[in-house]
Amino acid sequence: WLSSQSIDILLLQETHWPFTRDWISDHYLVVHSGENKKQAGLLCLISKRVCRPSNLSWYEHVPGRILQLRIHGTQRCIDILNVYQHTCIPSHMEARQQIWHNLFSILSTFSHRNILLMAGDFNCSADQRTDAIGYPMFQTDKGHSHGPRHADAHHLKHLLSQFDLSALNTWDIQNRATYEFGPQSSRIDFICTRRSHADQMAKAVTQLRDF
C-alpha cells in the first residue's frame, strides 16, 4: 500500500513493538520507539526524497509515547513529534499528566525558526473552538458530534495556545471522526503545526478512509 502512495512523512502509533532502533528501507528512513513491554510504540518513516540519512537525527523522549525527529536543512530544520497519549481512564491520569508536562517542556526548547509538525493520537477531544481549533465537532452519519469529553482537555487547548499552534484537521466541518467502531466515534488524533504555517492548503486535510 505504501509503495503506491506519495507520502513523504508517515507517523504511526500503537505498533506494540517493544524495541527502539532505526534502519533504512528501499524508500524510507525508519525510526521506531518502543516500550519494553508490548504496548504503545511509535513508528516514523521519512521518504528518501525528503532527506539523506546524514540529515536526520532523532531522540526518544518517552519510549513508545513521544518520539522526536529533526530533518536538518541548509536554511532551517523540520522538527517532528510523534505522540501517543495514554487512554483517559482513572488509572492512567497520572501518566497522562506526565505526557502533557513533557510536551510542554519539549516544545519550549524548539526554535521558532524551524518548521514544526506534531501529530499523533492524543486520546483527547478538542473541547471548544479557539484560534488553534477550527471546529471542536466532527461529521457523523447522524450529524455533528463533539465525541467523548475528557477531564484534562484543557491541557491540549493550553498546549496549542501557548505555542501558537493550529490543529490542522479541525478546520473542515465536513471532516469525520478519526476513530470509529460500531456506534462509537471520536476525533482524538490531530496534526498540528505553527499557526504561521497553517495556511489554507495546510488546513485542507484529507482522510484516507479506504486505508
Side-chain angles (χ1 to χ4, degrees), residues 101-141:
H101 175 77
N102 278 313
L103 288 174
F104 276 93
S105 298
I106 294 164
L107 289 173
S108 68
T109 67
F110 285 177
S111 170
H112 287 277
R113 177 183 177 87
N114 294 350
I115 295 172
L116 171 63
L117 170 64
M118 179 176 70
D121 182 354
F122 292 83
N123 267 309
C124 185
S125 298
D127 62 349
Q128 58 180 285
R129 186 167 189 169
T130 68
D131 289 343
I133 298 167
Y135 296 97
M137 72 287 291
F138 52 87
Q139 182 69 41
T140 71
D141 292 336

Side-chain angles (χ1 to χ4, degrees), residues 34-54:
E35 292 186 340
N36 291 329
K37 44 193 175 181
K38 291 186 178 181
Q39 60 184 25
L42 299 170
L43 183 67
C44 301
L45 293 93
I46 310 297
S47 172
K48 291 179 179 178
R49 297 188 301 266
V50 174
C51 74
R52 295 173 296 180
S54 60

